[in-house]
Amino acid sequence: MNMFKNVIVKRPSRSMVNGITSAPELGKPDYELALKQHDDYIQALKSCNVEVTVLEADERFPDSCFVEDTAVITKNCAIICNPGADSRNKEIEDMKETIKKFFSEDKIEYITSPGTVEGGDVMMVGNHFYIGKSFRTNEEGARQFIEKLEKHGYTGSIVTLEEVLHLKTGLAYLENNNLLVAGEFIDKEDFKNFNKIVISQDDSYSANCIWVNDNVIVPYGYNKTKRAIEKAGYNVIEVDTSEYRKLDGGLSCLSLRF
Ligand code: CIR
C-alpha cells in the first residue's frame, strides 16, 4: 500500500485575488479567509501523519498556492512540469529548489517546451499514471511525461479531456481500486475497471478530494460525497475550500503528496 510521508504546500499570496478563474460570478477570494482555510488544510494534513513543508507565499504569482501543477512527485523520481498557463509557468523555479532538498539530480526530470504539463492533469494509480490531455497539458507534454515515467519504472496513458480544467478536477483515486468520478469521467472507457463512487452533477466540485494514508480529505459542505466516502470505509476529514473554489482550485491542487 502506498503511504505518503511528505507534503509540500505554499501559502496563498495577497495577489491570489487576481488568480485565473473560469467562474468570476463566484466573486474574488477573501484573502484572510483563504489563509484561515489554508491553516485548516495544513492541520488536516498533519493529522494524517505526514511531514508538511510550508513554502512562503510568492506575490509574483497569483495562482502559486496551487503547487500541484508545478511538479509530480513519485517514490522513484520527481518530474518538474511545464505549466501551460503563461502566468503560472515560472512557478516551477521555486519548486525546483524545494524538490532538490528531497531528490538527487539524477532523480529529477523536466518537461520542456513545446511540451506542456500541469500536475493537476496527472493521477497516480499504483505504478501507473493517467495523464489528461487538456488546455494546459498537450500531446507532446504527455509524451515526454510517459517517457520520463518509463525511465523510472512506471507506465502512463493519456486520457483526453473534453470539459474540465484538469484531470483531477473530476477524479480522485482513493487507493484500493476506489475512484471518485464526476461529469465526463463517469462513463469513460479508461476507468471502467475501478470501483466507482459516482458524484452527482450538483456536487461535481467535491470530486476533487485527496486520499492521505487512509483518510480522505473532502471539501466542506458536500454531505452526499462525505457519506459515500465513509461508506467505502474511509475516515473523512472536511476542510472548507470556498475561497480556492473561486479560482477553480481545490484540495488536490493545494499540495504535493509523496
Ligand atoms: C489555474 O487556473 O491554474 C488556477 N486558478 C487553478 C489551478 C487548479 N489546480 C488544479 O486543479 N490542479
Side-chain angles (χ1 to χ4, degrees), residues 130-149:
Y130 291 90
I131 301 134
K133 189 154 73 82
S134 67
F135 282 118
R136 303 287 183 85
T137 296
N138 64 17
E139 180 98 38
E140 167 60 14
R143 190 198 62 74
Q144 287 182 25
F145 199 91
I146 293 172
E147 193 177 273
K148 310 292 179 198
L149 286 172

Side-chain angles (χ1 to χ4, degrees), residues 74-105:
T74 76
K75 290 270 175 292
N76 301 349
C77 65
I79 304 179
I80 311 288
C81 296
N82 191 22
D86 286 346
S87 66
R88 302 201 55 192
N89 192 265
K90 295 283 176 293
E91 288 176 23
I92 58 174
E93 299 304 329
D94 197 23
M95 190 51 73
K96 275 183 204 167
E97 297 314 310
T98 305
I99 284 175
K100 284 181 189 162
K101 297 184 182 132
F102 294 92
F103 288 86
S104 56
E105 200 59 67

Side-chain angles (χ1 to χ4, degrees), residues 20 63 66 68-69 88 120 136 165-166 169 247-249 253:
I20 307 170
D63 288 295
F66 301 117
E68 177 179 67
D69 296 317
R88 302 201 55 192
R136 303 287 183 85
L165 174 65
H166 287 124
T169 308
L247 300 178
D248 304 326
C253 325

